[in-house]
Amino acid sequence: MRTSNKINAGRFFEDFTLNEVIQHATPRTITAGDSSLYIALTGSRNPLHCSMPFAQTLGYSTAPVDDLLAFHIAFGKTVPDISVNAVANLGYADVRFLQPVFVGDTLSTSSEVIGLKQNSNGKNGVVYVRSTSVNQHGEPVLSWVRWVMVHKNNADAPAPETFIPDLPVFVAPADLNIAPLFSANNFDARNTGGQYFWEDYQPGERINHPSGMTINDSDHSLATRLYQNNARLHFDGHAMQSSTFGKRLVYGGVVISTCRALSFEGLENALSILAINAGTHANPCFAGDTIYTFTEVLESWELPGRNDAAALRLRMVGIKNMHPAEISEIKQFNSYHPNVVLDLDYTVLMPKRNHSKGNK
Amino acid sequence: MRTSNKINAGRFFEDFTLNEVIQHATPRTITAGDSSLYIALTGSRNPLHCSMPFAQTLGYSTAPVDDLLAFHIAFGKTVPDISVNAVANLGYADVRFLQPVFVGDTLSTSSEVIGLKQNSNGKNGVVYVRSTSVNQHGEPVLSWVRWVMVHKNNADAPAPETFIPDLPVFVAPADLNIAPLFSANNFDARNTGGQYFWEDYQPGERINHPSGMTINDSDHSLATRLYQNNARLHFDGHAMQSSTFGKRLVYGGVVISTCRALSFEGLENALSILAINAGTHANPCFAGDTIYTFTEVLESWELPGRNDAAALRLRMVGIKNMHPAEISEIKQFNSYHPNVVLDLDYTVLMPKRNHSKGNK
Amino acid sequence: MRTSNKINAGRFFEDFTLNEVIQHATPRTITAGDSSLYIALTGSRNPLHCSMPFAQTLGYSTAPVDDLLAFHIAFGKTVPDISVNAVANLGYADVRFLQPVFVGDTLSTSSEVIGLKQNSNGKNGVVYVRSTSVNQHGEPVLSWVRWVMVHKNNADAPAPETFIPDLPVFVAPADLNIAPLFSANNFDARNTGGQYFWEDYQPGERINHPSGMTINDSDHSLATRLYQNNARLHFDGHAMQSSTFGKRLVYGGVVISTCRALSFEGLENALSILAINAGTHANPCFAGDTIYTFTEVLESWELPGRNDAAALRLRMVGIKNMHPAEISEIKQFNSYHPNVVLDLDYTVLMPKRNHSKGNK
């Protein structure tokens, strides 16, 4: 018996070339099962994603799947090619939700290398990719940039020319995509239970969301497998025993989704995510941790050409094992409080008060 | 950064008014994913809910979803408005299953306050609500009464006039609803594997169901989130550390569903739940507990105008960490045995022997 | 209150008769929810089962469900009648995947007793059954033989005449069923990410699949319940405390599915399972164990009348808590290494290089 090497070890730093496009494997048809599992995994109560009739009052043909479910499924496909040899996921930028995703849609994802910078130690470097997920009609539904630090396999491989892409601090209001048929003119807030509309949120205010959610081992394993994200540190408890952490890490996308679902209380009318502007997984999260979250309102934007709804730029901070009311400063001297697990800058769509049915 | 208060704290005792109707948020379209998850969460083997052809032999257009899945989903919607400030869930009565629920149906739930009684301590009171869940055609599919003890927020708020609704001890046979197209004339017991029919069950007999099911942390978390029941004591392990229990509690609906699924062995032909007459969560259940159950036959009823099937009123007792054969008296001096977790009085529909195919 | 005995205790050794056919309960309609759960439970990335457009390029009308999902669901139905009183599951043989199974199909399973042999101790015996699962059109989709050692209930019951069926060591290439419309002529390997085709795998080579998967308590409980397999040793933690193992056992089908999903890395183009030739659960697996796997290529077969794809007979070995690179001999003196949990001989369908699109 001879051991063959048919394992795709994934790309190392020297294997990435500026402007190359990588087509990722495993196109994925989204099903009603995925949506149910997403509710079971997060407890999301946003009616846009679980009520067909409500979605239809907003102009959709049926209920679109949760924005983050689509994002995590699309993102998972990039892992084997982009980040399997990553030392660290350094950041996200310019994450755009371009089209709603419905049950029956098939997402296919590719990534373009848009930046490269070898680190001065010569052992690794930073790779910037823009990933795009298209549906079965070839229409882009999601687009995002992330950058990861990746090992070199051969330390003697020559350094590529450094190129750092120009990335926006946030997706500008004019660049936000709203589903073409969307209208909040018939929005009825009894479906969300939310009393507050776009006009009620002011930059500078903070909302401490009251509920906490303990992440169980199966919860994050099921979620990460559902997204077909095969990064081993989330699954291989045996190997992780000898890691710095001593145990499996919870996938950052699970933390994002948990915080988003917890933030429903106080942001009931934040119907859709339009963009993720930036994101940091400040500290690791493990099974057994209880996640809480608070939201800061960063900016409030009218949207060009529409009166029914507008945008809020929010900062969603995830905290483990400590209630948000107990924490005021999440950073000291540029270093995160040890209980902070997520610092996410994102933009949501929210109906305006005066254009929503029954709220006049 | 100023902390705003956009959190809906839920109603306190003084916020409820007799006869007011509360429309609950998050209408919910039931999907095939919900049904699969329900099987994965309970192990239910009732073919009525998992076999389209079998359901069609009974007159249904397709397989209806499990009665308790529909109930838990509908019930979950009432939690933010009714019981988020509850001290205790005191009881259920008059739970009626009015119409089958199918994949694709959307349930919307409202509650009417039908009774109020401030407690003599002046700190809390009992609220009685009748909740009704309607489908997308506006047809009632579920209706139930529950009563909860709710804190007052302002101890000085005046006591409302006491009104205690008249509640039936059980739903009378004439009030039971059978799906209009249902017929057991073509019922073939090979689909359930059950050898016993309505005529075989006699009031006074007890069935010790042999199997036990250990509830894992993820099991109950996934179920309770699927039902979009956001009662914090089921999820927030950090906060629950400082509670009386020291840990999260399993949602009572999970216990009911587990017992119902375990009771399949010995009640294979109890096809549908027609009513829940009364229910008590006698002791708390925690992750790691193994649930067993036994059934007592309370009454045996013919149903007006039909010969194919009839009703059994049953008492389903849930026990933790002790086999039903080891326990005879579940109550002493009106106090439950510490291992009893559920005492549920409910009514099922069961085919009659002589009118079922191939059993003559 | 008198305890009645309406519990079906299942068949004991003396209850089986040669050539009798047992129709199992609970026909089961497969749904999109089952497929999503299967991905969430295993992390499978095989695009044939999760991408409608990819499946259509291979001639299918839509994506068939995972071969093992269908097998576990069909198998689960046999447990109450065949193995509930089993001392041990001794083996599988001649497992044939006869037709693809699609969402909406309903599987009904029956078993024929094809062999009986009482053990010399007079206390138990071996029962051989051939089980067949048919879809709603009555077409066989799965067929398999297994043999189990079953207790006698009455030690004095006479021994049946011994009959041991003739079983093939493996399903011969001419007996393998390929879906009639299947063609790999338009197979595009970018969908699987696999670089290797049928011609690249040679008998005698071994592939150490790199990833490990820790099995959580909820993972295996959810899976086994989804399959409606009610064997108590997987669920009843209270009763299992007093067993040899002291805790619940993971269902062997969960181990098979985990290994199959882990073996995707290195076998990306092994699209379908055509047969399981033999299988042994070498040692028990418990929650908390991390599963790894390696594959040995046993045989490489052309398939009669086709040039687009061919078959590989593989040996998939599951190992717990030890990386495959650390283990060379899995058996010593006919006894399995204590970390080996699975030894499965199976046959897969893989496209040939020269007949696949874009790989010439």
Short mmCIF file of all heavy atoms in Angstrom, two decimals, chain A residues 35-45 212-220 222-223 254 258 261-262, chain B residues 28 34 37 41 72-73 76-77 217-231 234-236 248 251 254, chain C residues 218:
data_model
loop_
_atom_site.label_atom_id
_atom_site.label_comp_id
_atom_site.label_asym_id
_atom_site.label_seq_id
_atom_site.Cartn_x
_atom_site.Cartn_y
_atom_site.Cartn_z
N SER A 35 -33.37 27.49 5.08
CA SER A 35 -34.02 28.59 5.79
C SER A 35 -34.53 28.16 7.16
O SER A 35 -34.39 28.89 8.14
CB SER A 35 -35.19 29.13 4.97
OG SER A 35 -34.76 30.21 4.17
N SER A 36 -35.10 26.97 7.22
CA SER A 36 -35.58 26.48 8.53
C SER A 36 -34.42 26.27 9.48
O SER A 36 -34.49 26.62 10.66
CB SER A 36 -36.32 25.15 8.36
OG SER A 36 -37.59 25.38 7.82
N LEU A 37 -33.35 25.68 8.95
CA LEU A 37 -32.18 25.48 9.80
C LEU A 37 -31.63 26.81 10.29
O LEU A 37 -31.20 26.93 11.44
CB LEU A 37 -31.10 24.72 9.04
CG LEU A 37 -31.15 23.21 9.23
CD1 LEU A 37 -30.32 22.50 8.18
CD2 LEU A 37 -30.65 22.83 10.63
N TYR A 38 -31.65 27.81 9.43
CA TYR A 38 -31.12 29.11 9.85
C TYR A 38 -31.93 29.67 11.02
O TYR A 38 -31.36 30.23 11.97
CB TYR A 38 -31.11 30.09 8.67
CG TYR A 38 -30.30 31.31 8.99
CD1 TYR A 38 -28.91 31.28 8.93
CD2 TYR A 38 -30.91 32.49 9.41
CE1 TYR A 38 -28.16 32.40 9.26
CE2 TYR A 38 -30.17 33.61 9.74
CZ TYR A 38 -28.78 33.56 9.66
OH TYR A 38 -28.04 34.66 10.00
N ILE A 39 -33.24 29.50 10.96
CA ILE A 39 -34.07 29.94 12.09
C ILE A 39 -33.73 29.11 13.34
O ILE A 39 -33.56 29.65 14.43
CB ILE A 39 -35.57 29.83 11.74
CG1 ILE A 39 -35.90 30.82 10.62
CG2 ILE A 39 -36.44 30.10 12.97
CD1 ILE A 39 -37.32 30.68 10.08
N ALA A 40 -33.60 27.80 13.16
CA ALA A 40 -33.29 26.93 14.30
C ALA A 40 -31.92 27.23 14.89
O ALA A 40 -31.69 27.04 16.09
CB ALA A 40 -33.36 25.46 13.88
N LEU A 41 -31.01 27.70 14.07
CA LEU A 41 -29.64 27.96 14.54
C LEU A 41 -29.51 29.34 15.17
O LEU A 41 -28.62 29.56 16.00
CB LEU A 41 -28.66 27.81 13.37
CG LEU A 41 -28.48 26.35 12.90
CD1 LEU A 41 -27.86 26.30 11.51
CD2 LEU A 41 -27.63 25.56 13.90
N THR A 42 -30.33 30.28 14.77
CA THR A 42 -30.16 31.67 15.23
C THR A 42 -31.34 32.19 16.06
O THR A 42 -31.17 33.13 16.82
CB THR A 42 -30.03 32.63 14.02
OG1 THR A 42 -31.25 32.59 13.28
CG2 THR A 42 -28.86 32.24 13.13
N GLY A 43 -32.52 31.61 15.86
CA GLY A 43 -33.70 32.17 16.51
C GLY A 43 -34.21 33.44 15.84
O GLY A 43 -35.03 34.16 16.42
N SER A 44 -33.77 33.70 14.62
CA SER A 44 -34.20 34.92 13.91
C SER A 44 -35.72 35.02 13.86
O SER A 44 -36.41 34.05 13.55
CB SER A 44 -33.65 34.91 12.48
OG SER A 44 -34.27 35.96 11.74
N ARG A 45 -36.22 36.22 14.13
CA ARG A 45 -37.67 36.45 14.07
C ARG A 45 -38.05 37.50 13.03
O ARG A 45 -39.17 38.00 13.03
CB ARG A 45 -38.18 36.87 15.46
CG ARG A 45 -38.14 35.72 16.46
CD ARG A 45 -38.67 36.14 17.82
NE ARG A 45 -37.69 36.93 18.55
CZ ARG A 45 -37.99 37.94 19.38
NH1 ARG A 45 -39.26 38.29 19.56
NH2 ARG A 45 -37.03 38.58 20.01
N GLY A 212 -29.37 37.10 25.63
CA GLY A 212 -28.11 36.39 25.40
C GLY A 212 -28.39 35.02 24.83
O GLY A 212 -29.47 34.46 25.03
N MET A 213 -27.41 34.49 24.12
CA MET A 213 -27.55 33.17 23.49
C MET A 213 -26.28 32.36 23.74
O MET A 213 -25.20 32.77 23.32
CB MET A 213 -27.75 33.37 21.98
CG MET A 213 -27.86 32.11 21.16
SD MET A 213 -29.42 31.23 21.38
CE MET A 213 -30.61 32.41 20.74
N THR A 214 -26.43 31.26 24.42
CA THR A 214 -25.29 30.37 24.64
C THR A 214 -25.10 29.51 23.39
O THR A 214 -26.04 28.91 22.89
CB THR A 214 -25.52 29.50 25.88
OG1 THR A 214 -25.75 30.37 27.00
CG2 THR A 214 -24.30 28.63 26.18
N ILE A 215 -23.86 29.48 22.89
CA ILE A 215 -23.54 28.70 21.69
C ILE A 215 -23.14 27.29 22.14
O ILE A 215 -22.17 27.13 22.86
CB ILE A 215 -22.35 29.32 20.92
CG1 ILE A 215 -22.53 30.82 20.71
CG2 ILE A 215 -22.07 28.56 19.63
CD1 ILE A 215 -23.36 31.19 19.55
N ASN A 216 -23.90 26.29 21.67
CA ASN A 216 -23.55 24.91 21.98
C ASN A 216 -22.65 24.34 20.89
O ASN A 216 -22.64 24.83 19.76
CB ASN A 216 -24.82 24.06 22.05
CG ASN A 216 -25.83 24.61 23.02
OD1 ASN A 216 -25.57 24.72 24.22
ND2 ASN A 216 -27.00 25.01 22.51
N ASP A 217 -21.95 23.28 21.24
CA ASP A 217 -21.03 22.66 20.27
C ASP A 217 -21.74 22.27 18.98
O ASP A 217 -21.26 22.54 17.88
CB ASP A 217 -20.37 21.42 20.89
CG ASP A 217 -18.92 21.68 21.23
OD1 ASP A 217 -18.25 22.41 20.48
OD2 ASP A 217 -18.46 21.17 22.26
N SER A 218 -22.90 21.63 19.10
CA SER A 218 -23.60 21.23 17.88
C SER A 218 -24.11 22.43 17.11
O SER A 218 -24.15 22.40 15.88
CB SER A 218 -24.79 20.32 18.19
OG SER A 218 -24.43 18.98 18.10
N ASP A 219 -24.53 23.47 17.79
CA ASP A 219 -25.06 24.65 17.10
C ASP A 219 -24.05 25.16 16.07
O ASP A 219 -24.38 25.34 14.90
CB ASP A 219 -25.31 25.80 18.08
CG ASP A 219 -26.40 25.51 19.09
OD1 ASP A 219 -27.19 24.59 18.87
OD2 ASP A 219 -26.44 26.23 20.12
N HIS A 220 -22.84 25.39 16.51
CA HIS A 220 -21.89 25.99 15.56
C HIS A 220 -21.37 24.97 14.57
O HIS A 220 -21.12 25.30 13.41
CB HIS A 220 -20.77 26.73 16.30
CG HIS A 220 -19.71 25.88 16.90
ND1 HIS A 220 -18.59 25.50 16.20
CD2 HIS A 220 -19.59 25.34 18.13
CE1 HIS A 220 -17.82 24.76 17.00
NE2 HIS A 220 -18.41 24.65 18.17
N LEU A 222 -23.16 22.46 13.29
CA LEU A 222 -24.22 22.32 12.28
C LEU A 222 -24.23 23.51 11.34
O LEU A 222 -24.34 23.35 10.11
CB LEU A 222 -25.60 22.21 12.97
CG LEU A 222 -25.90 20.92 13.72
CD1 LEU A 222 -27.09 21.12 14.65
CD2 LEU A 222 -26.20 19.78 12.75
N ALA A 223 -24.11 24.70 11.88
CA ALA A 223 -24.16 25.90 11.04
C ALA A 223 -22.99 25.91 10.06
O ALA A 223 -23.17 26.11 8.85
CB ALA A 223 -24.12 27.15 11.92
N VAL A 254 -20.93 32.48 12.55
CA VAL A 254 -21.94 32.08 13.55
C VAL A 254 -22.13 33.21 14.56
O VAL A 254 -23.26 33.51 14.97
CB VAL A 254 -21.51 30.76 14.23
CG1 VAL A 254 -22.35 30.47 15.46
CG2 VAL A 254 -21.58 29.60 13.23
N THR A 258 -25.58 35.25 15.17
CA THR A 258 -26.16 35.27 16.51
C THR A 258 -26.41 36.71 16.95
O THR A 258 -27.48 37.04 17.47
CB THR A 258 -25.22 34.55 17.50
OG1 THR A 258 -24.99 33.23 17.04
CG2 THR A 258 -25.80 34.52 18.90
N ALA A 261 -29.36 38.23 15.09
CA ALA A 261 -30.66 37.75 15.59
C ALA A 261 -30.97 38.37 16.95
O ALA A 261 -32.11 38.77 17.21
CB ALA A 261 -30.66 36.23 15.67
N LEU A 262 -29.97 38.48 17.80
CA LEU A 262 -30.20 39.09 19.13
C LEU A 262 -30.56 40.56 19.01
O LEU A 262 -31.29 41.10 19.85
CB LEU A 262 -28.95 38.94 20.01
CG LEU A 262 -28.57 37.53 20.45
CD1 LEU A 262 -27.22 37.54 21.16
CD2 LEU A 262 -29.64 36.95 21.39
N ARG B 28 -45.63 33.33 10.27
CA ARG B 28 -44.64 32.29 9.97
C ARG B 28 -45.16 31.30 8.94
O ARG B 28 -46.16 30.62 9.19
CB ARG B 28 -44.31 31.56 11.28
CG ARG B 28 -43.38 30.40 11.14
CD ARG B 28 -41.96 30.87 10.84
NE ARG B 28 -41.01 30.05 11.54
CZ ARG B 28 -40.70 28.79 11.19
NH1 ARG B 28 -41.25 28.24 10.15
NH2 ARG B 28 -39.82 28.12 11.90
N ASP B 34 -39.09 22.77 8.30
CA ASP B 34 -39.60 22.68 9.67
C ASP B 34 -40.00 21.24 10.00
O ASP B 34 -39.72 20.74 11.09
CB ASP B 34 -40.82 23.60 9.83
CG ASP B 34 -40.48 25.06 9.58
OD1 ASP B 34 -39.36 25.48 9.89
OD2 ASP B 34 -41.35 25.78 9.06
N LEU B 37 -36.90 19.08 10.45
CA LEU B 37 -36.28 19.37 11.74
C LEU B 37 -37.09 18.78 12.89
O LEU B 37 -36.52 18.27 13.86
CB LEU B 37 -36.16 20.89 11.93
CG LEU B 37 -34.82 21.46 11.47
CD1 LEU B 37 -34.90 22.97 11.33
CD2 LEU B 37 -33.71 21.09 12.45
N LEU B 41 -35.60 16.41 15.63
CA LEU B 41 -35.59 16.84 17.04
C LEU B 41 -36.33 15.88 17.95
O LEU B 41 -36.05 15.82 19.15
CB LEU B 41 -36.18 18.25 17.15
CG LEU B 41 -35.29 19.36 16.55
CD1 LEU B 41 -36.09 20.63 16.31
CD2 LEU B 41 -34.10 19.63 17.44
N HIS B 72 -46.35 24.63 18.66
CA HIS B 72 -45.18 25.31 19.24
C HIS B 72 -44.83 26.57 18.45
O HIS B 72 -44.40 27.57 19.02
CB HIS B 72 -43.96 24.39 19.26
CG HIS B 72 -44.15 23.17 20.11
ND1 HIS B 72 -44.84 23.17 21.30
CD2 HIS B 72 -43.71 21.89 19.95
CE1 HIS B 72 -44.83 21.96 21.82
NE2 HIS B 72 -44.16 21.16 21.04
N ILE B 73 -44.95 26.49 17.12
CA ILE B 73 -44.65 27.67 16.29
C ILE B 73 -45.65 28.79 16.60
O ILE B 73 -45.29 29.94 16.77
CB ILE B 73 -44.62 27.30 14.80
CG1 ILE B 73 -43.32 26.53 14.48
CG2 ILE B 73 -44.74 28.53 13.91
CD1 ILE B 73 -43.17 26.10 13.03
N GLY B 76 -45.00 30.14 20.18
CA GLY B 76 -43.78 30.94 20.30
C GLY B 76 -44.02 32.42 20.06
O GLY B 76 -43.39 33.28 20.66
N LYS B 77 -44.96 32.70 19.17
CA LYS B 77 -45.22 34.10 18.80
C LYS B 77 -45.85 34.90 19.93
O LYS B 77 -45.78 36.13 19.93
CB LYS B 77 -46.12 34.14 17.56
CG LYS B 77 -45.58 33.40 16.35
CD LYS B 77 -44.18 33.80 16.01
CE LYS B 77 -43.51 32.77 15.09
NZ LYS B 77 -43.08 31.52 15.79
N ASP B 217 -28.12 19.75 24.93
CA ASP B 217 -28.23 21.22 24.92
C ASP B 217 -28.66 21.75 23.56
O ASP B 217 -29.55 22.59 23.46
CB ASP B 217 -26.89 21.84 25.32
CG ASP B 217 -26.94 22.39 26.73
OD1 ASP B 217 -27.99 22.92 27.13
OD2 ASP B 217 -25.93 22.31 27.43
N SER B 218 -28.03 21.27 22.50
CA SER B 218 -28.41 21.78 21.19
C SER B 218 -29.81 21.37 20.79
O SER B 218 -30.51 22.12 20.12
CB SER B 218 -27.44 21.28 20.11
OG SER B 218 -26.42 22.21 19.89
N ASP B 219 -30.23 20.18 21.19
CA ASP B 219 -31.56 19.71 20.82
C ASP B 219 -32.62 20.72 21.24
O ASP B 219 -33.45 21.15 20.43
CB ASP B 219 -31.90 18.38 21.53
CG ASP B 219 -31.03 17.23 21.10
OD1 ASP B 219 -30.38 17.31 20.04
OD2 ASP B 219 -31.00 16.22 21.84
N HIS B 220 -32.60 21.09 22.50
CA HIS B 220 -33.69 21.97 22.95
C HIS B 220 -33.47 23.40 22.48
O HIS B 220 -34.42 24.12 22.19
CB HIS B 220 -33.90 21.87 24.46
CG HIS B 220 -32.89 22.57 25.32
ND1 HIS B 220 -33.04 23.88 25.69
CD2 HIS B 220 -31.73 22.15 25.86
CE1 HIS B 220 -32.01 24.23 26.46
NE2 HIS B 220 -31.20 23.20 26.56
N SER B 221 -32.21 23.80 22.33
CA SER B 221 -31.97 25.16 21.82
C SER B 221 -32.45 25.29 20.38
O SER B 221 -33.10 26.27 20.01
CB SER B 221 -30.47 25.48 21.87
OG SER B 221 -29.96 25.38 23.18
N LEU B 222 -32.13 24.30 19.56
CA LEU B 222 -32.57 24.32 18.17
C LEU B 222 -34.09 24.33 18.08
O LEU B 222 -34.67 25.09 17.30
CB LEU B 222 -32.03 23.10 17.42
CG LEU B 222 -30.53 23.07 17.11
CD1 LEU B 222 -30.10 21.66 16.74
CD2 LEU B 222 -30.18 24.04 15.98
N ALA B 223 -34.73 23.49 18.86
CA ALA B 223 -36.19 23.40 18.80
C ALA B 223 -36.81 24.74 19.21
O ALA B 223 -37.68 25.27 18.51
CB ALA B 223 -36.68 22.28 19.72
N THR B 224 -36.37 25.28 20.29
CA THR B 224 -37.01 26.48 20.83
C THR B 224 -36.77 27.66 19.90
O THR B 224 -37.66 28.49 19.70
CB THR B 224 -36.50 26.73 22.26
OG1 THR B 224 -36.61 25.50 22.99
CG2 THR B 224 -37.31 27.79 22.97
N ARG B 225 -35.59 27.70 19.28
CA ARG B 225 -35.35 28.75 18.28
C ARG B 225 -36.19 28.53 17.02
O ARG B 225 -36.68 29.49 16.43
CB ARG B 225 -33.85 28.80 17.92
CG ARG B 225 -33.00 29.38 19.03
CD ARG B 225 -31.54 29.54 18.60
NE ARG B 225 -30.92 28.29 18.27
CZ ARG B 225 -29.83 27.78 18.84
NH1 ARG B 225 -29.19 28.46 19.80
NH2 ARG B 225 -29.34 26.63 18.47
N LEU B 226 -36.32 27.27 16.62
CA LEU B 226 -37.16 26.99 15.44
C LEU B 226 -38.57 27.53 15.64
O LEU B 226 -39.20 28.04 14.73
CB LEU B 226 -37.21 25.48 15.17
CG LEU B 226 -38.05 25.05 13.96
CD1 LEU B 226 -37.40 25.50 12.66
CD2 LEU B 226 -38.26 23.54 13.95
N TYR B 227 -39.06 27.41 16.88
CA TYR B 227 -40.40 27.89 17.20
C TYR B 227 -40.41 29.40 17.42
O TYR B 227 -41.45 29.98 17.67
CB TYR B 227 -40.94 27.19 18.45
CG TYR B 227 -40.84 25.68 18.41
CD1 TYR B 227 -40.54 24.94 19.55
CD2 TYR B 227 -41.04 24.98 17.21
CE1 TYR B 227 -40.45 23.55 19.52
CE2 TYR B 227 -40.93 23.59 17.18
CZ TYR B 227 -40.63 22.88 18.33
OH TYR B 227 -40.53 21.51 18.30
N GLN B 228 -39.24 30.02 17.34
CA GLN B 228 -39.09 31.47 17.53
C GLN B 228 -39.65 31.91 18.88
O GLN B 228 -40.16 33.01 19.03
CB GLN B 228 -39.72 32.22 16.34
CG GLN B 228 -39.01 31.89 15.02
CD GLN B 228 -39.76 32.37 13.80
OE1 GLN B 228 -40.94 32.09 13.65
NE2 GLN B 228 -39.09 33.09 12.92
N ASN B 229 -39.50 31.02 19.83
CA ASN B 229 -39.85 31.31 21.23
C ASN B 229 -38.60 31.89 21.85
O ASN B 229 -37.56 31.23 21.93
CB ASN B 229 -40.24 29.98 21.90
CG ASN B 229 -40.54 30.13 23.37
OD1 ASN B 229 -40.00 31.00 24.06
ND2 ASN B 229 -41.41 29.27 23.88
N ASN B 230 -38.67 33.16 22.27
CA ASN B 230 -37.45 33.83 22.71
C ASN B 230 -37.36 33.98 24.23
O ASN B 230 -36.63 34.85 24.71
CB ASN B 230 -37.33 35.21 22.03
CG ASN B 230 -38.37 36.18 22.54
OD1 ASN B 230 -39.49 35.79 22.79
ND2 ASN B 230 -37.99 37.43 22.72
N ALA B 231 -38.09 33.14 24.98
CA ALA B 231 -37.99 33.23 26.44
C ALA B 231 -36.54 32.97 26.85
O ALA B 231 -35.98 31.93 26.55
CB ALA B 231 -38.95 32.23 27.08
N HIS B 234 -34.34 29.83 28.38
CA HIS B 234 -33.96 28.64 27.62
C HIS B 234 -32.62 28.80 26.89
O HIS B 234 -32.05 27.82 26.41
CB HIS B 234 -35.03 28.31 26.57
CG HIS B 234 -36.40 28.21 27.14
ND1 HIS B 234 -36.68 27.47 28.26
CD2 HIS B 234 -37.60 28.78 26.77
CE1 HIS B 234 -37.98 27.57 28.54
NE2 HIS B 234 -38.53 28.36 27.67
N PHE B 235 -32.13 30.02 26.80
CA PHE B 235 -30.98 30.31 25.92
C PHE B 235 -29.77 30.93 26.61
O PHE B 235 -28.66 30.73 26.17
CB PHE B 235 -31.42 31.28 24.82
CG PHE B 235 -32.49 30.75 23.94
CD1 PHE B 235 -33.75 31.32 23.89
CD2 PHE B 235 -32.24 29.64 23.14
CE1 PHE B 235 -34.73 30.80 23.07
CE2 PHE B 235 -33.22 29.12 22.33
CZ PHE B 235 -34.47 29.70 22.29
N ASP B 236 -30.04 31.72 27.63
CA ASP B 236 -28.96 32.56 28.17
C ASP B 236 -28.30 31.86 29.35
O ASP B 236 -28.66 32.07 30.51
CB ASP B 236 -29.57 33.91 28.56
CG ASP B 236 -28.51 34.92 28.99
OD1 ASP B 236 -27.39 34.49 29.37
OD2 ASP B 236 -28.79 36.13 28.93
N ARG B 248 -29.66 26.74 32.12
CA ARG B 248 -30.81 26.93 31.24
C ARG B 248 -31.87 25.85 31.46
O ARG B 248 -31.54 24.70 31.72
CB ARG B 248 -30.33 26.85 29.78
CG ARG B 248 -29.51 28.03 29.36
CD ARG B 248 -28.91 27.78 27.98
NE ARG B 248 -27.74 26.93 28.04
CZ ARG B 248 -27.14 26.38 26.98
NH1 ARG B 248 -27.63 26.59 25.77
NH2 ARG B 248 -26.07 25.62 27.12
N TYR B 251 -37.37 24.22 27.35
CA TYR B 251 -38.74 24.69 27.07
C TYR B 251 -39.72 23.53 27.24
O TYR B 251 -39.50 22.43 26.73
CB TYR B 251 -38.78 25.26 25.64
CG TYR B 251 -40.14 25.44 25.04
CD1 TYR B 251 -41.17 26.07 25.74
CD2 TYR B 251 -40.42 25.02 23.74
CE1 TYR B 251 -42.43 26.24 25.17
CE2 TYR B 251 -41.66 25.19 23.16
CZ TYR B 251 -42.68 25.80 23.89
OH TYR B 251 -43.92 25.96 23.33
N VAL B 254 -40.73 21.31 24.37
CA VAL B 254 -39.78 20.26 23.97
C VAL B 254 -40.08 18.97 24.74
O VAL B 254 -40.05 17.87 24.18
CB VAL B 254 -38.33 20.74 24.21
CG1 VAL B 254 -37.33 19.60 24.09
CG2 VAL B 254 -37.98 21.87 23.23
N SER C 218 -25.53 16.15 20.14
CA SER C 218 -26.71 16.48 19.34
C SER C 218 -26.55 16.04 17.89
O SER C 218 -27.54 15.67 17.25
CB SER C 218 -26.99 17.99 19.35
OG SER C 218 -27.89 18.32 20.36
#
